[in-house]
Amino acid sequence: MLPKPTPQQLAWQEAEMTVFFHFGVNTFTDREWGDGAEDPAIFNPTRLDCRQWVKTAKDAGFTYLILTAKHHDGFCLWQSAHTEHSVKNSPWKGGKGDVVREFAEACDEFGVKKAFYLSPWDRNAPMYGDSPAYNAYFKHQLTELLTQYGKVYEVWFDGACGEGPNGKRQEYDWSGYYGVVRQHQPEALIAICGPDVRWVGNEDGFARETEWSIQEPNADHHPGVTDPIWYPAECDVSIRPGWFWHPAEDSKVKTLDHLMRIYYQSVGRNSVLLLNVPPNDKGLLAEPDVARLAEFRRMIDASFGDEHDLARGATTDAAVIDGNPDTHWSPSNGATGGSFVLTFAAPITFNTTLAKEQIAESQRVEAYTVEAWVDSQWKSIVSGTTIGHKKIEPFDAVTTDRVRFTVNAARATPMIRRFALFNAPRGERKEE
Ligand code: FUL
């Protein structure tokens, strides 16, 4: 039996683009990792506006938004009852403020899905390294986040783990943490050090050419599971060199070309993109990031908007161009390979293919090719491996009036939900 996504994994995969907001004491110290010894008095965002963060992200097409409620420094962006290292001892709003609440309310207002990053590694908590005591502390904090802010769609557990102040290494109680999440937010995904979403393995935003959502279980995160599981990949990357805002990086926001390369190689390689956009010390997304996100959206639309899909003008028997997410093409007689052809009344020119499997029914394709009829013969233009939720392949433009799509190998009868052709603007950019 092939593993299938849960409804929550499916909704997340279909969202394709998610955002990280790294914000906390590091925003004020110009550091990437705080040591937990920060004076809470430094936390004072004079113009904090979570509505600006959320609106900017939503306008750019991101629908899952993750806030670093607590990073490795242990500083809590909410009024935790379990530590003094939090907004409650900052001058911001006279110590009465709650960034998590403002963020949660903005997400609810704009109808996007809120999620929390909670670092297990805590360089401030004195009991860190005293495993049972710290695990209890962590679960209390998790409970606060999961019970006081309405529906939470994802919890992101970072794998970083350092030594405690007592020189002892903390043993995280993963199963216990998952139990707290499942108890209070049974529909929340648990990502990275969690059973539902897998880290792609780098922080550059690039998935592999061959990316399976079907994986072997991980002993820490899927205890007791032996069969292959649905464990899709997420590509986390920052729009800047660092995860936190640094004044010197206002001029180092990734170029549009760079972001598009990331899009092709994350969303376009069966992964979800988690793009970090760190608010600044005023509590606002900085202008260069806001402008770049808007450009990014425009370029994605100009490249892959439905109205640019040239395949929609084809004649074919295959249910891959009808725009209906519930239909798909499969080879006849349950075969694991086969072809369909798109025929055009007049030649079209395209430089990109986009294919999708019906992943509600698992991931099946292992090898596929796309050919164009050129000079009275089939010419291969793409040879790919996995497809999954979405596979985008760029190449030099081809002109033809006939395109053939073939599945060469699959783990079970392939189900192709969509096949699209675009002549995407890429300028001089060459895809690796
Ligand atoms: C890493 C952390 O150490 C970084 O600071 C950042 O939060 C990144 C997303 O995960 O493990």
Side-chain angles (χ1 to χ4, degrees):
M1 262 276 285
L2 290 170
K4 294 178 182 172
T6 62
Q8 291 75 30
Q9 286 172 317
L10 195 56
W12 170 87
Q13 189 91 49
E14 297 203 338
E16 297 184 349
M17 310 225 305
T18 65
V19 142
F20 237 156
F21 296 122
H22 273 68
F23 186 60
V25 279
N26 297 337
T27 310
F28 299 86
T29 57
D30 206 10
R31 294 176 76 175
E32 276 292 298
W33 281 5
D35 56 15
E38 303 79 16
D39 182 348
I42 60 172
F43 185 86
N44 197 13
T46 47
R47 293 172 52 201
L48 183 98
D49 183 1
C50 294
R51 295 181 75 258
Q52 184 243 11
W53 313 356
V54 171
K55 184 175 187 316
T56 303
K58 183 183 181 185
D59 287 349
F62 296 87
T63 49
Y64 284 65
L65 281 51
I66 310 179
L67 172 64
T68 54
K70 174 183 94 164
H71 202 252
H72 308 329
D73 46 71
F75 184 85
C76 295
L77 292 181
W78 77 101
Q79 300 272 333
S80 177
H82 305 282
T83 180
E84 294 304 308
H85 203 45
S86 92
V87 285
K88 71 183 174 192
N89 287 313
S90 77
W92 178 61
K93 296 203 166 172
K96 299 275 180 276
D98 183 339
V99 182
V100 173
R101 182 159 314 283
E102 296 196 18
F103 167 74
E105 286 175 358
C107 289
D108 292 346
E109 178 188 338
F110 286 98
V112 292
K113 294 173 172 165
K114 72 175 100 69
F116 299 128
Y117 166 111
L118 189 67
S119 172
W121 187 27
D122 186 322
R123 304 177 84 182
N124 176 268
M127 70 294 250
Y128 186 89
D130 174 354
S131 292
Y134 179 77
N135 284 328
Y137 171 79
F138 189 79
K139 287 180 210 168
H140 288 317
Q141 293 195 323
L142 194 52
T143 302
E144 289 178 329
L145 288 176
L146 299 175
T147 57
Q148 297 175 7
Y149 301 99
K151 183 156 174 154
V152 176
Y153 288 82
E154 185 179 340
V155 180
W156 212 94
F157 289 139
D158 198 316
C161 170
E163 244 173 33
N166 41 27
K168 287 196 226 152
R169 198 175 163 77
Q170 174 70 29
E171 295 289 334
Y172 299 133
D173 175 16
W174 295 119
S175 308
Y177 303 169
Y178 304 159
V180 172
V181 179
R182 298 294 189 232
Q183 180 192 346
H184 299 298
Q185 297 281 347
E187 297 194 350
L189 294 161
I190 310 178
I192 312 308
C193 286
D196 304 320
V197 170
R198 168 174 61 92
W199 184 46
V200 79
N202 64 68
E203 294 182 336
D204 304 321
F206 300 138
R208 291 167 292 192
E209 177 75 48
T210 300
E211 202 62 74
W212 283 99
S213 296
I214 301 171
Q215 295 284 320
E216 292 302 320
N218 169 300
D220 281 340
H221 311 316
H222 311 98
V225 180
T226 49
D227 288 337
I229 48 161
W230 190 263
Y231 201 24
E234 176 188 86
C235 295
D236 63 329
V237 59
S238 185
I239 198 166
R240 291 160 169 248
W243 291 101
F244 284 87
W245 176 81
H246 305 284
E249 294 184 0
D250 276 349
S251 59
K252 295 192 179 141
V253 175
K254 286 187 171 56
T255 63
L256 177 60
D257 257 16
H258 193 161
L259 289 182
M260 287 306 293
R261 202 159 66 237
I262 286 171
Y263 181 87
Y264 276 75
Q265 295 186 30
S266 56
V267 175
R269 287 185 173 175
N270 190 34
S271 294
V272 165
L273 170 60
L274 172 54
L275 182 66
N276 178 62
V277 191
N280 65 17
D281 60 348
K282 296 190 180 64
L284 295 170
L285 299 186
E287 270 313 312
D289 310 61
V290 173
R292 192 54 40 78
L293 285 178
E295 281 176 10
F296 187 36
R297 180 74 253 159
R298 282 197 297 273
M299 185 54 86
I300 293 170
D301 290 343
S303 304
F304 304 114
D306 285 348
E307 70 279 22
H308 302 302
D309 178 2
L310 298 164
R312 299 236 161 138
T315 303
T316 182
D317 290 341
V320 292
I321 59 167
D322 55 11
N324 182 347
D326 299 326
T327 61
H328 59 263
W329 167 86
S330 289
S332 50
N333 307 324
T336 52
S339 298
F340 60 81
V341 175
L342 307 187
T343 309
F344 297 87
I348 57 158
T349 298
F350 59 95
N351 62 8
T352 311
T353 57
L354 183 157
K356 286 164 74 93
E357 285 185 77
Q358 194 62 280
I359 59 160
E361 301 299 331
S362 195
Q363 187 181 347
R364 301 170 176 221
V365 175
E366 294 174 298
Y368 73 99
T369 52
V370 181
E371 297 155 294
W373 186 253
V374 182
D375 299 333
S376 305
Q377 57 181 327
W378 287 114
K379 177 187 170 219
S380 175
I381 46 180
V382 171
S383 310
T385 54
T386 49
I387 295 177
H389 170 67
K390 185 173 275 188
K391 187 61 167 287
I392 299 175
E393 291 282 0
F395 42 83
D396 290 339
V398 173
T399 300
T400 184
D401 63 359
R402 231 178 295 171
V403 176
R404 182 162 72 180
F405 179 94
T406 302
V407 175
N408 310 101
R411 292 183 175 182
T413 303
M415 301 169 88
I416 306 300
R417 171 177 166 178
R418 183 175 180 200
F419 180 62
L421 302 170
F422 298 97
N423 200 24
R426 277 199 291 274
E428 292 305 303
R429 192 177 80 249
K430 290 270 177 268
E431 296 301 326
E432 289 109 59

